Amino acid sequence: MRGKIGTLLILSLLVLAVASCGCTESTGQQAVPDSNSVLQNSDTVQITDMLGRQLTVPAEISSVVATSPPSTILVYMLAPDKLAGWNFKNNFTQPFMDENYTSLPVIGGWFGTQTGNYETIISMDPDIVIEGYTTDGQINEAIERRQESFGSIPVVAINDSIIFVTQSDPTIEYVGKLLDCEAQAEKLIEFRSSILNEINSTVKDIPETEKVRVYYAEGPKGLMTDPSGSQHSQVIDICGGVNVADCPLTPGNGMTQVSIEQVMDWNPEVIITSNPQFYASVYSDPLWVSVDAVQNKRVYLAPQNPFCWIDRPQGPHLIIGTAWTAKMLYPDLFTDMDLSQLTRKFYSEFFHYELTDEELNTLLNPAAEAKT
């Protein structure tokens, strides 16, 4: 009897030992998580920005601040609901923008002569900060300075080519992937390509002697300008105009001072401007009366709302400004370009605003407002 009990006891102990080993092995497997499950459950991802820097950012980016208008406008055009604030706002009585976006705070930034405030942006706790164009030193130095000042908020560098209409595709594509709006980015790239292709195919064969001579009038008196090759006068170059300004290119902010005597000597056929004050006075100003563009009523004020179409700020929105410029310079060559239809589409798809007929007319005929 005792032998049977002893045997049963030994068997029981063996069973318990085996079971115990099984539990230990199972626990050990659960303690080492599968690498795939770690990636799937993580709330951050590793990215490489356009300067080649490795960064850790939230897997789902829902709040973005950009440090200058070109990048801010790009975020607005691609992913407006992720934009946390503006660098500046134009003081329009009725901006052509949904109030969900006009109500966003003005946070400043680093552009032109503006110096941003780090504390203001940090207090908003954005998921990322985008730095894409700066007049605050070289981009590499600026990025290092920003990252140190923003601390744990990732600063993502994008290419400063976003300020050039003809070079911006890679940056648009990158931000589309970054903000999970690739379809919208592709739509913008296609819109841009369509307009540029039409402009290029139309103006490329114009003989040099037949190209329109253009002056870009800046400032309230029209006596500041930017020559060919400047980021500020790029729409003239793109549209096959001859920029008459024979003056130094002022880096950064541009706006080289010139005299009325120089303008009279250049004698442009067309003047384009983004300054309503200058436009409102140019036809009655005796200083300008002898200039061909004034005599022939070929001074054009660029649309302004919600952002100027041709300059300041530069950015991806200037693509609609190239269509406008082409129509102003060569109306006979672009009779098939429906600027009204293009404008409606652009505002609907990229400014997220449906223009009324009255708003469209006001936008495309800003001269009436400038004269009042």
Side-chain angles (χ1 to χ4, degrees):
M1 183 67 177
R2 288 180 181 176
K4 290 182 179 180
I5 293 174
T7 301
L8 290 171
L9 181 59
I10 291 170
L11 289 173
S12 299
L13 291 172
L14 286 172
V15 171
L16 288 172
V18 171
S20 176
C21 289
C23 289
T24 302
E25 184 178 357
S26 175
T27 303
Q29 288 177 340
Q30 292 175 0
V32 182
D34 179 81
S35 60
N36 290 330
S37 67
V38 171
L39 292 176
Q40 291 170 359
N41 295 331
S42 175
D43 57 359
T44 61
V45 293
Q46 292 286 325
I47 67 165
T48 302
D49 71 9
M50 296 189 80
L51 282 183
R53 298 162 60 246
Q54 300 294 312
L55 298 169
T56 300
V57 302
E60 293 186 13
I61 296 172
S62 59
S63 176
V64 180
V65 163
T67 61
S68 63
S71 305
T72 296
I73 294 173
L74 178 59
V75 174
Y76 169 61
M77 292 174 69
L78 297 185
D81 293 334
K82 297 185 179 186
L83 184 64
W86 299 105
N87 305 116
F88 74 98
K89 279 184 184 176
N90 286 319
N91 296 319
F92 295 112
T93 304
Q94 183 186 1
F96 298 156
M97 184 183 292
D98 189 278
E99 64 179 16
N100 288 331
Y101 310 122
T102 58
S103 62
L104 292 174
V106 176
I107 58 173
W110 291 263
F111 56 97
T113 58
Q114 304 299 311
T115 300
N117 185 286
Y118 289 105
E119 288 73 21
T120 297
I121 297 175
I122 291 171
S123 68
M124 299 173 66
D125 194 28
D127 291 327
I128 62 170
V129 170
I130 291 180
E131 174 80 57
Y133 166 72
T134 181
T135 53
D136 185 22
Q138 295 297 315
I139 184 67
N140 297 63
E141 299 171 357
I143 286 291
E144 292 179 6
R145 190 162 56 250
R146 301 277 185 269
Q147 189 62 80
E148 182 178 354
S149 299
F150 282 123
S152 61
I153 302 174
V155 178
V156 181
I158 63 172
N159 199 306
D160 63 0
S161 65
I162 192 59
I163 67 176
F164 297 104
V165 174
T166 61
Q167 302 173 24
S168 57
D169 280 5
T171 307
I172 295 171
E173 183 178 5
Y174 178 86
V175 174
K177 292 179 180 178
L178 177 69
L179 302 183
D180 193 27
C181 52
E182 294 175 76
Q184 179 73 352
E186 184 59 33
K187 191 188 299 183
L188 178 57
I189 289 171
E190 290 176 357
F191 188 95
R192 186 202 73 94
S193 296
S194 175
I195 288 181
L196 290 185
N197 288 341
E198 181 176 356
I199 291 174
N200 184 58
S201 64
T202 303
V203 305
K204 64 182 178 64
D205 295 326
I206 300 176
E208 199 66 28
T209 56
E210 295 180 18
K211 290 184 176 179
V212 176
R213 294 167 49 79
V214 188
Y215 174 70
Y216 175 29
E218 301 178 79
K221 295 183 178 180
L223 293 176
M224 290 185 281
T225 194
D226 284 283
S228 179
S230 168
Q231 66 199 42
H232 300 288
S233 60
Q234 60 182 293
V235 294
I236 299 174
D237 296 334
I238 291 170
C239 295
V242 175
N243 189 329
V244 300
D246 183 12
C247 61
L249 191 158
T250 302
N253 294 332
M255 301 184 78
T256 301
Q257 188 78 43
V258 296
S259 67
I260 188 61
E261 288 77 17
Q262 286 176 290
V263 178
M264 292 171 67
D265 185 55
W266 297 331
N267 199 25
E269 300 169 78
V270 169
I271 295 174
I272 62 172
T273 185
S274 57
N275 191 289
Q277 185 177 343
F278 166 73
Y279 182 85
S281 64
V282 64
Y283 286 118
S284 59
D285 190 333
L287 290 177
W288 290 84
V289 69
S290 63
V291 177
D292 275 359
V294 177
Q295 290 187 344
N296 296 322
K297 305 297 183 185
R298 296 201 67 187
V299 182
Y300 303 112
L301 175 63
Q304 310 280 313
N305 193 342
F307 313 108
C308 180
W309 282 20
I310 63 172
D311 187 27
R312 293 189 182 84
Q314 299 89 48
H317 65 291
L318 293 193
I319 185 57
I320 191 63
T322 62
W324 175 85
T325 303
K327 292 278 283 189
M328 299 305 105
L329 301 192
Y330 300 105
D332 294 338
L333 296 181
F334 288 94
T335 54
D336 292 336
M337 179 183 280
D338 190 336
L339 190 57
S340 294
Q341 183 180 13
L342 285 173
T343 301
R344 281 192 187 278
K345 181 177 181 181
F346 187 83
Y347 272 64
S348 176
E349 295 187 354
F350 306 115
F351 281 171
H352 321 288
Y353 187 82
E354 302 298 331
L355 290 165
T356 66
D357 291 344
E358 182 180 356
E359 289 169 340
L360 178 65
N361 181 64
T362 299
L363 190 64
L364 295 181
N365 298 281
E369 286 193 351
K371 289 179 179 179
T372 59

